[in-house]
Amino acid sequence: MELLAPAGTVETFFAALENGADAVYLGLKAFSARAYAANFTLAQVSSLAQVSRQRGCKLYVALNALVKEEERPELMETLGALQEIGPDALIIQDLGVYYLVRQHYPALPVHASTLLTIHNSLGVAQAAAMGFKRVVLARELTLSELAAIRRQTRLELEVFIHGALCYSFSGLCLFSSYLGGRAATRGRCTQPCRRLYHYRQESGYILSLSDLSGLELVPQLQTLGIEAIKIEGRMKSGEYVSRVVRAYRLVMDASLGDQKQAIAGAQELLARTYSRRTTSGFFKSPHPQGLLAPEDTGNIGLLLGKIDRSEESWATLRLLESLSVGDRLRLQAEATGERRAFTLKELQFQGQMVDMARAGDEVRISLPDPAQTGDLLYKVGETTPGGSRSEKKWLEYLYSLAQPAKLTAKLDKKLRLPENLGHPKKTKDHRSHRPFVYIRTRSCLEALELHRQKQGPLLVDLTEANFNEYLGQPRQARVLSGFIWSLPPIMFEGRLVFFRQAVQTLIQGGARQFMVSNLGHFQLLREVSAHLPRLGRSAAPKAKAAGRLLTEEARDREPGSAAEPEFELTLYSDYPLHCLNLSAFQALKQLAVSYMTLSMEADRRTLQLLLRQAPSQRLMTYLYSYPNLMISRAPLPEGKKALRLISPLGERFRLTATDGLTCLAPTVPLLWQKPLPELQSLGLHRFIIDLNRSGLPVSQVGDLKRRLLLGPVISGGMSMNYYRGLE
């Protein structure tokens, strides 16, 4: 089993190597899902790759951020350079990156990032069919679920074993992007889940999970045949990486008889790292104890105290723990929960500059930015006795071992973006094209009522409740078969029997349209379709190459066309299969998707560029919705079914538990009514109205649709990143 360690700096790279890592993963200055880490230039990566090969260590480059359309030329140049450098693999999330690698740089091995939310055997099988070498599985899986997946694949499996846990499934979190345009899917998360929220008569850090520590589970993962265990922490210090890698190496190398002693020794090493309280995560149970601790601030490190007084770049506080110049500190704003990390440069005690101070001392500390009275100060790392190398010195050391390679990759002129990027294309006026409005319903019965009102096309979520309603309406079979059935992004292994049976029943009943939101859905539909001949059906889908369900001709037809062959499926992709660039569109097209929903995180410029190049008749976007900002397996406290949360800034959210998942949603709708004319002028004419959480009576749906299309403008909505931009 491979021990995979993080590196955000040259120092942490060598800390990982020297303490026993089998492989190291790192990010570039661009396209990294840890954008706030120091990260590396391509020249530095070329030297790191040489050192890794010399020492028998693998090097993986995390190219795992979503890519905006305007960034594609830089991405192409980066991929060309990486092909010259030759890392052992790329870790990727964006299907556009996948498409470009497979089309132009097939020699580069690819690993499916945990941001692709692969969490069952279907997703792993689909990744294998697409040519991924390894899958980094979702952190939310139990040991029994991992074992079930392992039994069904030979593909390499990797799991996170240590480090921070996000409240949401990776890849399904829109929270930071919704609040300020800083997308977690692009490595710019502001961690709103770590903030204080008020709910009912209480307040707490209800979305802040404990840190993962799976040390004692290493032997079981080895027995399961997991290929790699991964340590999170590309923004951690060299000291942290050294201790954590050494701890896991100690346990992995221990003989069967020495494992208990090795675990005890490793736990002593981990006790000296600065972390939140720890948990074994979901490995032991889908409902783990100690996962949530609302009373904790969610901060890493030791609490040093509260700021008593602040003046310009200095603050005064009484220490709860010892403090030294050179320690890494983090300041948390009391009002907003915002955090800032810095290294302590100057320390005063009793009016004198000192190198260290003890618990109980009242001290003044220098700050990079002003603080407020009441802000919390934490120590998150200690100075190294006798000093330590600066990153500049570490870089000099790296280049003494391996000089950067001379990279010659250049971008093909055919792949460059057109001129005048900031302006929409000048074409005929598309506003006269009739808008095609899809309505996402809350139940199967509601969809039947809206059909009677001649609303549609209609989307129905494939839940157990909706499927039971479907079974209870045999006289409406013909109508029900015309709905678009939306598959949920999360289908745990134990629920796959239900979803296989449900999809099989729907297809046998005449359903031919499905909305997919996870890679595993392609495998599910392919498997079910392949079994139809044995169930008395005469044919399966025409195109059965890996990931393909439709012919090109079928994808070009309108849904419900009379010429549609009996067994061809029309697929729609939902927003979790992010479409932010032309290459992602092309990847989805190869996966037999007919109509692609644009990423909810898209901004105006990205859409202008994308709609200039992709066939707009195949693209669609949400016009009105209360989207899931987070989807989590973490339960609500004390068996609560729903909570209303209020942030320190007065923002309001709903937190609800259903079908084994917890979802966070806004209390105001995502509303693209104002951009609608501009989007129509760019050729976009497919829009979705999502009724979930709207509270709107079914009798008023027609009025909502007319108002959205014709006005007046609905007040109080949120356009998310459209105007402010996506970082």
Side-chain angles (χ1 to χ4, degrees):
M1 188 164 69
E2 176 183 282
L3 178 58
L4 178 54
T9 63
V10 178
E11 177 188 5
T12 53
F13 170 82
F14 282 105
L17 253 63
E18 292 165 3
N19 286 279
D22 300 304
V24 174
Y25 69 102
L26 52 81
L28 299 173
K29 297 288 185 182
F31 311 121
S32 165
R34 283 292 183 270
Y36 298 136
N39 293 320
F40 300 91
T41 65
L42 286 165
Q44 291 166 354
V45 172
S46 71
S47 293
L48 293 170
Q50 295 175 60
V51 172
S52 297
R53 284 190 282 269
Q54 293 165 7
R55 302 203 182 182
C57 179
K58 292 183 178 179
L59 185 74
Y60 306 137
V61 175
L63 213 68
N64 57 343
L66 292 183
V67 180
K68 295 196 288 187
E69 178 60 22
E70 65 183 329
E71 297 167 341
R72 271 201 314 137
E74 182 184 355
L75 172 64
M76 290 294 294
E77 291 179 338
T78 299
L79 289 171
L82 287 170
Q83 182 164 260
E84 291 185 40
I85 293 169
D88 292 280
L90 304 183
I91 306 170
I92 63 174
Q93 170 196 191
D94 194 314
L95 291 178
V97 179
Y98 163 80
Y99 176 84
L100 291 172
V101 170
R102 300 297 289 175
Q103 291 292 317
H104 303 286
Y105 310 103
L108 283 170
V110 286
H111 293 179
S113 168
T114 191
L115 287 157
L116 276 167
T117 327
I118 295 177
H119 60 284
N120 57 35
S121 56
L122 293 172
V124 172
Q126 179 63 29
M130 292 170 68
F132 283 95
K133 181 182 178 183
R134 175 184 292 183
V135 166
V136 187
L137 290 165
R139 293 171 171 90
E140 288 78 5
L141 301 184
T142 65
L143 287 172
S144 61
E145 288 167 340
L146 290 172
I149 294 170
R150 175 75 287 169
R151 288 192 295 269
Q152 298 176 71
T153 186
R154 294 182 180 179
L155 196 67
E156 292 183 14
L157 301 178
E158 176 180 309
V159 298
F160 277 92
I161 194 67
H162 195 93
L165 285 174
C166 297
Y167 187 83
S168 177
F169 282 85
S170 292
L172 297 181
C173 184
L174 303 176
F175 200 8
S176 178
S177 186
Y178 175 86
L179 290 175
R182 298 182 181 181
T185 51
R186 285 173 51 80
R188 291 164 171 83
C189 182
T190 57
Q191 296 191 320
C193 56
R194 302 293 182 188
R195 297 174 185 169
L196 180 74
Y197 291 91
H198 301 283
Y199 48 97
R200 294 187 177 176
Q201 304 302 315
E202 305 174 59
S203 61
Y205 299 86
I206 194 169
L207 304 177
S208 181
L209 300 191
S210 302
D211 279 0
L212 175 64
S213 181
L215 197 65
E216 62 186 51
L217 300 170
V218 168
Q220 290 172 265
L221 293 169
Q222 287 175 314
T223 302
L224 283 181
I226 300 299
E227 274 77 14
I229 56 173
K230 186 175 199 171
I231 298 166
E232 181 272 339
R234 281 191 278 152
M235 295 178 67
K236 300 289 189 179
S237 67
E239 169 201 16
Y240 174 93
V241 172
S242 295
R243 288 177 177 171
V244 176
V245 171
R246 204 181 325 147
Y248 280 88
R249 185 80 270 161
L250 184 63
V251 175
M252 291 175 70
D253 291 347
S255 63
L256 186 62
D258 294 334
Q259 280 180 352
K260 286 187 178 180
Q261 184 178 353
I263 289 173
Q267 286 172 335
E268 289 183 18
L269 282 169
L270 295 182
R272 298 200 297 273
T273 62
Y274 290 92
S275 65
R276 303 176 185 93
R277 63 187 295 174
T278 58
T279 173
S280 58
F282 295 92
F283 284 123
K284 296 179 180 179
S285 168
H287 310 293
Q289 298 294 319
L291 185 66
L292 278 166
E295 68 279 5
D296 284 358
T297 63
N299 260 302
I300 294 172
L302 294 174
L303 177 62
L304 293 174
K306 278 190 175 184
I307 302 299
D308 295 325
R309 297 185 301 280
S310 178
E311 61 272 11
E312 296 183 357
S313 60
W314 288 87
T316 302
L317 74 158
R318 189 169 297 277
L319 294 175
L320 300 175
E321 304 285 346
S322 63
L323 177 65
S324 298
V325 172
D327 285 348
R328 286 290 293 170
L329 307 181
R330 177 173 285 122
L331 190 68
Q332 176 177 309
E334 183 184 43
T336 64
E338 184 181 353
R339 298 139 195 253
R340 291 168 288 165
F342 62 97
T343 299
L344 182 61
K345 301 294 186 184
E346 295 178 290
L347 176 64
Q348 287 185 3
F349 175 61
Q350 296 182 346
Q352 302 293 318
M353 290 293 187
V354 295
D355 292 329
M356 64 88 63
R358 296 180 176 84
D361 291 346
E362 185 178 75
V363 299
R364 294 179 78 233
I365 62 169
S366 62
L367 299 173
D369 300 295
Q372 300 295 321
T373 300
D375 288 355
L376 299 174
L377 187 69
Y378 290 83
K379 178 162 64 172
V380 297
E382 294 179 347
T383 183
T384 304
S388 62
R389 287 176 177 161
S390 66
E391 186 66 7
K392 181 179 178 181
K393 292 292 184 182
W394 277 110
L395 198 56
E396 290 174 359
Y397 174 62
L398 170 65
Y399 290 157
S400 73
L401 299 176
Q403 283 293 308
K406 293 182 179 180
L407 303 174
T408 60
K410 292 186 178 180
L411 179 64
D412 188 330
K413 290 183 179 179
K414 295 179 182 178
L415 297 169
R416 294 191 181 278
L417 292 176
E419 297 178 1
N420 302 319
L421 296 184
H423 304 282
K425 58 185 176 184
K426 294 182 179 180
T427 60
K428 64 180 182 180
D429 189 354
H430 291 274
R431 284 174 290 186
S432 60
H433 197 294
R434 180 177 64 88
F436 210 66
V437 180
Y438 301 77
I439 298 177
R440 189 169 200 151
T441 61
R442 292 162 289 199
S443 71
C444 191
L445 295 179
E446 181 177 68
L448 287 170
E449 174 58 31
L450 288 171
H451 174 77
R452 283 191 281 271
Q453 296 178 19
K454 302 189 183 305
Q455 301 292 345
L458 300 167
L459 287 138
V460 180
D461 293 330
L462 182 53
T463 63
E464 190 165 350
N466 284 343
F467 184 63
N468 286 336
E469 288 183 0
Y470 167 86
L471 295 176
Q473 301 290 324
R475 294 183 179 180
Q476 300 290 336
R478 185 172 182 179
V479 173
L480 292 167
S481 68
F483 295 160
I484 303 165
W485 289 88
S486 177
L487 306 179
I490 302 299
M491 298 178 175
F492 290 116
E493 196 69 22
R495 297 287 294 147
L496 293 187
V497 170
F498 163 74
F499 284 109
R500 285 189 174 102
Q501 291 176 343
V503 170
Q504 174 183 302
T505 302
L506 289 170
I507 293 177
Q508 285 182 303
R512 294 294 180 267
Q513 300 178 82
F514 292 89
M515 178 171 270
V516 296
S517 56
N518 184 276
L519 287 181
H521 296 164
F522 297 103
Q523 179 70 16
L524 171 63
L525 292 168
R526 188 164 55 248
E527 283 183 9
V528 172
S529 298
H531 284 82
L532 283 176
R534 283 181 275 171
L535 297 169
R537 313 299 288 194
S538 60
K542 288 187 176 181
K544 291 169 60 178
R548 294 175 64 87
L549 291 169
L550 295 176
T551 61
E552 287 287 327
E553 181 185 2
R555 284 200 299 273
D556 287 333
R557 278 196 298 273
E558 285 290 320
S561 166
E564 185 175 327
E566 187 180 2
F567 293 104
E568 289 177 352
L569 301 180
T570 300
L571 301 189
Y572 301 74
S573 65
D574 205 355
Y575 70 88
L577 289 173
H578 299 278
C579 186
L580 270 177
N581 58 69
L582 180 62
S583 298
F585 170 89
Q586 292 168 318
L588 290 166
K589 182 181 176 184
Q590 281 194 344
L591 287 167
V593 174
S594 298
Y595 304 103
M596 299 79 171
T597 303
L598 295 162
S599 171
M600 276 194 177
E601 300 185 276
D603 58 19
R604 184 182 198 176
R605 180 175 174 81
T606 298
L607 293 178
Q608 286 178 345
L609 295 176
L610 182 54
L611 289 167
R612 290 180 68 184
Q613 300 181 77
S616 58
Q617 70 272 18
R618 287 192 172 183
L619 295 172
M620 53 201 298
T621 191
Y622 280 83
L623 181 60
Y624 175 93
S625 70
Y626 291 81
N628 285 319
L629 301 180
M630 292 198 289
I631 301 177
S632 177
R633 202 176 194 179
L636 284 177
E638 301 172 7
K640 292 181 172 68
K641 296 282 184 167
L643 291 173
R644 285 183 175 268
L645 306 187
I646 304 175
S647 78
L649 297 177
E651 301 142 329
R652 296 173 183 269
F653 307 95
R654 297 188 189 101
L655 194 62
T656 57
T658 180
D659 295 330
L661 296 172
T662 303
C663 300
L664 182 82
T667 57
V668 296
L670 176 68
L671 185 63
W672 276 22
Q673 185 183 24
K674 185 178 177 181
L676 180 61
E678 181 176 25
L679 292 172
Q680 289 180 288
S681 73
L682 292 167
L684 190 65
H685 62 273
R686 295 181 186 274
F687 303 97
I688 304 171
I689 295 173
D690 187 351
L691 300 179
N692 285 291
R693 305 184 188 88
S694 67
L696 191 73
V698 67
S699 60
Q700 296 179 20
V701 172
D703 291 337
L704 173 66
K705 177 180 173 181
R706 282 189 291 273
R707 186 170 178 185
L708 287 168
L709 296 177
L710 303 174
V713 174
I714 298 172
S715 62
M718 171 78 163
S719 61
M720 203 159 161
N721 300 328
Y722 189 84
Y723 293 111
R724 71 186 174 200
L726 171 64
E727 292 188 30

